[in-house]
Every structure is written in structure tokens, then in C-alpha cells.
Amino acid sequence: MKGIGVVKAKQLGAILEFARKVYEPDKTKRIIIKSPKDVFDLVRSDMEFLQVEHFDVIGLSTKNHVVFKENISIGSLNASIVHPREAFKGLIRRSCASCILVHNHPSSDPLPSNEDILLTKKLVECGKIIGIEVLDHIIVGADGGGYVSFKEQGKM
């Protein structure tokens, strides 16, 4: 960027990496999801500063322990293409009991779009068919925009 030299750019990069590490959960502990805030805390460091939409799936055991977290799709500034086949592939392979859908909005506004709502309904129906319950869909707003839980909003 104009006006920012190599040294300043490296300093800014180091600051951003430090901030990401501060919010990153401890990987040595077993993570249990009890609330949408737990999901936000888990993904915040990965999603808060992304420039384009990323769609992730978190696979859970019967006791809501995190089995895995996987990126399903990387989209554009305001869209992400997600197919149920891709969303459930890792869940089936790892024999997950349930899952949580997570994606970011680079615009900082975590409110769901009509497309987000339709996609969630589609994935919930697919989950019912194959026996993997979709517990929630969390949208993370960029740059401290917070999050929205479909479950808390009554959209699931």
C-alpha cells in the first residue's frame, strides 16, 4: 500500500498474527460446544479478518465434543457456493452425530441474507435424511462485527 514500507508492513502483519493467536483456542484441550458463543470463540481467530466468504463445518460427537473443523467453500466478497454433498462428506466419514455450520460476512454485518436462510433450510433437511443433525448456523461478522446464531434467532 502507498505510504507503508516493508518494515511497517511486517510490523502490521506481526500485530495481526498476535491478535489471531490471542483469540485462538487451546488445541491441547478437548473442546465442548455448549452455546453459540463457544462456536464463536472457536472460529473467531480464523474468520474475523478474512476478505472473502469462507464456509466451515464443525463435526460433533454425541456429547458435543468437537471432532473436526473443516473448510467447505471459499467464495467471493459476498457469496459462497456450498453443496450438501461437500458439507456432509467429512461428517459421514468421521461418523459425527451432529454438526454446526459456520461462515463469515466480510462486510462486518453478520445478519443472514435470504440465501443464507435458504441454504440453512436445505442443509438441515439433508441432515435429517442422513441422520446428522444440524444444530446451528453461525455467521461471523468481520472486524469485530460479532456473530448471529440461527438457533438463537429462531430461524432453525
Side-chain angles (χ1 to χ4, degrees):
M1 293 177 67
K2 188 174 181 177
I4 297 179
V6 174
V7 173
K8 187 57 76 179
K10 287 185 179 191
Q11 287 175 335
L12 290 171
I15 290 169
L16 287 173
E17 181 63 21
F18 175 74
R20 191 178 72 73
K21 292 283 186 189
V22 166
Y23 289 115
E24 193 171 55
D26 185 356
K27 290 185 168 87
T28 61
K29 293 182 182 175
R30 192 169 209 182
I31 300 168
I32 301 172
I33 301 297
K34 297 178 185 168
S35 70
K37 174 82 167 78
D38 292 341
V39 176
F40 178 66
D41 292 341
L42 176 65
V43 302
R44 181 180 186 180
S45 65
D46 294 331
M47 292 195 139
E48 198 170 36
F49 300 107
L50 296 172
Q51 303 288 321
V52 295
E53 282 199 12
H54 286 237
F55 193 97
D56 292 359
V57 172
I58 300 171
L60 302 172
S61 70
T62 55
K63 304 233 186 236
N64 288 349
H65 292 115
V66 174
V67 175
F68 77 102
K69 181 172 84 69
E70 180 176 59
N71 180 263
I72 301 303
S73 171
I74 298 175
S76 64
L77 184 62
N78 61 355
S80 181
I81 298 171
V82 178
H83 193 280
R85 173 183 59 243
E86 303 306 319
F88 287 97
K89 186 189 309 182
L91 297 165
I92 293 167
R93 192 177 5 196
R94 293 175 182 94
S95 299
C96 292
S98 59
C99 71
I100 296 174
L101 311 171
V102 184
H103 83 277
N104 68 310
H105 280 176
S107 67
S108 298
D109 181 7
L111 293 176
S113 67
N114 288 333
E115 292 81 12
D116 293 336
I117 295 168
L118 292 173
L119 174 63
T120 302
K121 287 180 182 178
K122 183 178 183 180
L123 292 173
V124 167
E125 287 303 312
C126 290
K128 285 179 184 176
I129 291 168
I130 60 175
I132 298 175
E133 184 181 4
V134 177
L135 299 177
D136 203 349
H137 184 167
I138 308 287
I139 301 175
V140 177
D143 301 324
Y147 70 93
V148 167
S149 161
F150 277 57
K151 190 98 165 172
E152 288 179 341
Q153 298 273 314
K155 296 183 190 302
M156 291 190 70

